[in-house]
Amino acid sequence: MRNSQIPVATLSDDSASTGRQLFFVSPEALDRSWELGLFYLKIPDDLDLECPRQFGRELVAADSPHRQVPQYGELEGFIALENNQQTKLALRRERWDQHYPEHIALFGRQLDAIGIAIICAVFRQSGIPEALWDRASGGYASGGGDAFLNFVHYDTRTPDWGLRPHTDYGFVTILDASAPGLQIEVDGQFEDVPVLPGHFIINFGEALSFITAHADRAVSAVTHRVVSQRSLDPVRHSIVYFANPELDGMLWQFDASGEEQGSSSVEDLFTLLEKRLTQ
Ligand SMILES: [Fe+2]
């Protein structure tokens, strides 16, 4: 896919009254992003990425103290799976202060603000009345919900197929990747999403697609994969932030007049998606 086909958005400066607003160069660029489920976001000037990137690179060292972070369930902690090139330190918001250095926890909160700005832009376009945004998103739109901040690298000593095709379960994913490898499915074909320097890759997930399904404008959850990294490639580092609903919460579907059109427990929705993925 040519770079030019993936739209680019920018965020306005923080404003106390409205928060950050998301802008595209044209209405067509916004349409394309909502339809693709993906766009580039110019990294805001007030966000320091060098320190978090350095933190991620340091995790490769065998003696990094952060490799000792214990695993909490399947999704959190320092995780290196067999038959998977992906090695990661993954933590949800509640554990950032415990295990991440202060500047990384702060960086996570800056990504929270970006995630909220994006989800609010989606709600604004959807026509769903603002009073319902918090309920529809299980609290995420107003600073609650669940969020993960993960530092990932691909260890090429382990051969495998990278990350198999999937959609993300949550609302919004913010990705900072150091090297190519991400591909998205467009009209049945996988196409490269090149790294665009100075930009995050943003993609929409299933929970956001679900809650906008009956509104004026729904978003797509994009199917994507990460291709296996070759041993000659430099180590692929990425920082990934997932904006998610709380696992024990509910999601609500509203239309633009504020009428409830459906709902699901987060657990039921995720179980359904899991089934679809493993079929
Ligand atoms: Fe993903």
Side-chain angles (χ1 to χ4, degrees):
M1 174 181 289
R2 280 179 296 113
N3 243 356
S4 57
Q5 290 181 287
I6 300 178
V8 178
T10 52
L11 277 174
S12 66
D13 290 339
D14 212 357
S15 131
S17 56
T18 55
R20 298 192 110 137
Q21 306 272 331
L22 190 67
F23 290 102
F24 288 87
V25 286
S26 65
E28 293 75 29
L30 184 146
D31 289 348
R32 176 101 180 117
S33 300
W34 264 227
E35 180 194 320
L36 267 182
L38 179 121
F39 60 93
Y40 290 116
L41 176 70
K42 185 176 177 299
I43 294 168
D45 294 338
D46 60 0
L47 195 69
D48 166 41
L49 257 171
E50 273 322 303
C51 293
R53 282 174 180 163
Q54 181 63 27
F55 177 77
R57 286 192 292 266
E58 285 167 6
L59 286 173
V60 176
D63 61 353
S64 161
H66 289 97
R67 294 175 80 103
Q68 306 304 322
V69 172
Q71 251 184 272
Y72 301 95
E74 283 178 21
L75 300 174
E76 287 183 278
F78 185 79
I79 301 171
L81 297 174
E82 275 178 43
N83 300 319
N84 187 332
Q85 289 187 329
Q86 204 192 51
T87 295
K88 65 184 171 189
L89 177 58
L91 292 167
R92 50 159 54 89
R93 197 192 277 139
E94 291 81 77
R95 293 193 222 273
W96 292 349
D97 288 328
Q98 188 187 348
H99 291 299
Y100 282 143
E102 204 181 327
H103 72 281
I104 298 295
L106 180 72
F107 172 70
R109 294 196 180 87
Q110 290 180 293
L111 296 185
D112 280 336
I114 294 175
I116 291 170
I118 295 169
I119 203 172
C120 288
V122 168
F123 275 134
R124 205 163 285 123
Q125 292 294 326
S126 76
I128 295 172
E130 191 165 348
L132 298 169
W133 295 358
D134 180 62
R135 192 156 158 241
S137 68
Y140 184 86
S142 47
D146 202 6
F148 279 84
L149 177 59
N150 300 353
F151 292 83
V152 183
H153 61 272
Y154 287 79
D155 184 342
T156 55
R157 287 167 302 182
T158 310
D160 88 336
W161 292 103
L163 264 190
R164 63 185 174 165
H166 66 283
T167 50
D168 290 343
Y169 288 0
F171 298 124
V172 172
T173 305
I174 303 174
L175 171 69
D176 176 57
S178 68
L182 179 68
Q183 295 187 328
I184 54 170
E185 197 179 20
V186 184
D187 303 329
Q189 305 265 12
F190 277 95
E191 308 206 11
D192 289 326
V193 178
V195 172
L196 182 61
H199 293 75
F200 287 127
I201 296 166
I202 308 292
N203 69 263
F204 297 137
E206 296 281 1
L208 196 58
S209 176
F210 178 83
I211 61 179
T212 56
H214 295 280
D216 282 353
R217 204 190 263 251
V219 296
S220 304
V222 66
T223 300
H224 55 283
R225 67 182 183 186
V226 179
V227 294
S228 185
Q229 306 288 298
R230 291 163 308 177
S231 56
L232 290 173
D233 295 337
V235 178
R236 181 177 188 270
H237 287 274
S238 61
I239 302 173
V240 196
Y241 170 94
F242 293 104
N244 285 357
E246 299 264 18
L247 264 184
D248 59 0
M250 288 290 292
L251 295 171
W252 302 89
Q253 297 172 309
F254 295 106
D255 64 20
S257 63
E259 286 293 316
E260 189 190 316
Q261 296 292 332
S263 64
S264 170
S265 74
V266 174
E267 217 181 329
D268 285 351
L269 180 71
F270 286 4
T271 305
L272 196 76
L273 296 169
E274 188 72 35
K275 257 194 215 139
R276 217 165 68 188
L277 197 65
T278 49
Q279 260 167 12

